[in-house]
Amino acid sequence: MMKANAEKIRWDQSDEAPILVKSGVYEVRLARSDEEVAAAQALRYRVFYEEMKAVPTEAMRTVARDFDDFDNVCDHLLAFDTSKTGADAVIATYRLLREEKVDRIEDFYSSQEYDLSSLFSEKFRDEMIGDRQLLELGRSCVHADYRTNNVMQLMWRAIARYIEKHRIAYLFGCASLPGINPEDLKLQLSYLYNSHKTPDDYNVPAVGARYRKMDYMTPAEYDDRMARRALAPLIKGYLRLGCYIGDGAVIDEQFNTTDVFILLPVDSIQRRYLGLFDN
C-alpha cells in the first residue's frame, strides 16, 4: 500500500471537473458513471456481507453487490487508488443524500429507524437551519487494505467541500455498533445517551417497536474513558466533532449491528476533520 503525500492536496472548485481532493495516488470525487457506482456497491458487499457477515438478499448475492433504491438518488463519494484500474481502484465510499433531492421525510434512509420530524419542525428550521439544508450520510466503508487515518481524512476533506458547495447546516445518519444484543453494549449505549443525547427540543427517537433503551447505567456507574475506548472509530470521530446521539438504539439484524442516530452540526468540520478517526 502506497502512502499519500498529504501536503499535495488540492481542491477543484469547478462543477465541470468533479475531482474534489487529490493526494499522491489517492483521488476522492463523486462517482461519474453507473460503472463507478457499481464498483462502490461491490466494495460495500465485500465489507458488509463477506467481512462483517451481514445477510444479503438473493439478488445481492447473485451479483455480489450491495444495492437499494436509495442508490438511485444519492451522490456517491468515492476514494480511488489511481495506481489501480477498474473496480479495484475504488477503495472507499460514502453515500450522500441532500435534503433538496427528496420529497418527504420518509425518503431518507434513516427514517426507517428514527423519527426525523423534529428536524423539520418550524423551530428547528428557524433556529438551526435557516437558508441551509440537511445532508444524510450512509453506507460508509473502506477496503481492508486502506484503513488508515489518511484515507478517511481525504474523504472528510471532500465532504467538507461538499458541505460548503451545497450549504449544509447539519449532517445526520445511522452509525453502528457491532452485535445485536444491546445488553452487551450497555457501557457504550449508556455513555452515548447520558453524555450526548439530542436536546429535548430537537429529540430524534427511534421509531415505535424498533426502540431499544440506551440508559442501562447512570454516569456514576461507569468510567467515561473506558466507554469512549469501546466505541467504533467512526462514532468516536463524530463525537470529536460535537455530534448528538438520538434517543434509542435500533437492532439491524440484516447487518448484525445495533444502530444509533447521529446528528452533527457542520460548523466545526472544516477546522477539525484531520484527526477524526484516530483509534
Side-chain angles (χ1 to χ4, degrees):
M1 181 174 56
M2 302 178 69
K3 184 177 181 180
N5 183 351
E7 295 182 356
K8 293 184 178 179
I9 292 169
R10 69 176 176 85
W11 296 101
D12 194 320
Q13 302 289 338
S14 69
D15 290 333
E16 291 76 17
I19 297 173
L20 296 180
V21 181
K22 188 172 178 64
S23 177
V25 299
Y26 298 147
E27 182 176 286
V28 179
R29 59 174 172 79
L30 298 180
R32 297 174 179 169
S33 66
D34 290 344
E35 290 74 20
E36 290 182 348
V37 172
Q41 293 170 335
L43 174 62
R44 284 159 31 187
Y45 188 90
R46 288 196 297 274
V47 173
F48 298 142
Y49 299 97
E50 295 179 352
E51 181 180 341
M52 300 175 63
K53 306 305 180 185
V55 181
T57 64
E58 188 58 36
M60 291 177 185
R61 186 181 293 109
T62 299
V63 296
R65 289 189 285 117
D66 169 57
F67 59 87
D68 60 26
D69 290 341
F70 292 94
D71 284 326
N72 299 324
V73 293
C74 290
D75 286 330
H76 298 265
L77 185 68
L78 310 180
F80 296 84
D81 179 344
T82 60
S83 70
K84 298 185 176 182
T85 59
D88 289 341
V90 176
I91 61 170
T93 183
Y94 239 120
R95 196 163 71 175
L96 312 176
L97 181 56
R98 302 193 307 276
E99 177 185 338
E100 64 188 356
K101 298 184 73 173
V102 305
D103 296 321
R104 307 168 304 157
I105 296 177
E106 293 77 16
D107 293 335
F108 286 112
Y109 180 90
S110 301
S111 68
Q112 299 174 105
E113 298 188 357
Y114 287 89
D115 179 357
L116 308 179
S117 58
S118 67
L119 304 185
F120 290 84
S121 68
E122 183 176 348
K123 179 178 178 64
F124 187 80
R125 307 302 295 191
D126 289 346
E127 296 182 1
M128 314 301 283
I129 299 293
D131 63 350
R132 296 184 290 174
Q133 63 175 318
L134 299 169
L135 174 66
E136 183 180 47
L137 302 181
R139 284 300 200 272
S140 170
C141 67
V142 182
H143 190 290
D145 294 340
Y146 294 86
R147 288 176 191 159
T148 65
N149 284 344
N150 187 61
V151 170
M152 287 307 295
Q153 286 166 10
L154 294 176
M155 292 291 282
W156 274 86
R157 287 178 184 270
I159 289 171
R161 172 69 184 94
Y162 190 96
I163 286 168
E164 179 185 29
K165 177 179 179 180
H166 294 290
R167 296 186 57 77
I168 305 299
Y170 276 79
L171 309 179
F172 71 93
C174 298
S176 300
L177 296 164
I180 58 174
N181 184 359
E183 289 279 351
D184 295 337
L185 302 166
K186 62 184 181 181
L187 172 62
Q188 299 97 308
L189 293 175
S190 297
Y191 168 74
L192 292 173
Y193 180 90
N194 290 321
S195 298
H196 300 284
K197 193 183 81 65
T198 46
D200 290 342
D201 284 350
Y202 312 119
N203 192 39
V204 180
V207 296
R210 303 199 71 177
Y211 181 98
R212 297 292 183 273
K213 64 177 289 185
M214 298 177 69
D215 55 336
Y216 288 89
M217 296 183 284
T218 67
E221 295 177 297
Y222 59 83
D223 181 86
D224 280 1
R225 291 172 297 178
M226 291 183 62
R228 291 181 72 95
R229 282 199 294 269
L231 294 170
L234 185 67
I235 295 177
K236 285 192 284 188
Y238 289 143
L239 292 178
R240 290 191 186 103
L241 286 176
C243 81
Y244 299 103
I245 301 295
D247 179 11
V250 172
I251 303 303
D252 188 333
E253 294 187 354
Q254 180 185 9
F255 281 85
N256 192 36
T257 59
T258 298
D259 295 346
V260 295
F261 183 81
I262 302 291
L263 179 64
L264 175 60
V266 305
D267 293 341
S268 64
I269 287 176
Q270 291 176 319
R271 297 192 301 270
R272 296 194 56 192
Y273 55 74
L274 285 177
L276 271 179
F277 296 93
D278 295 331
N279 287 312

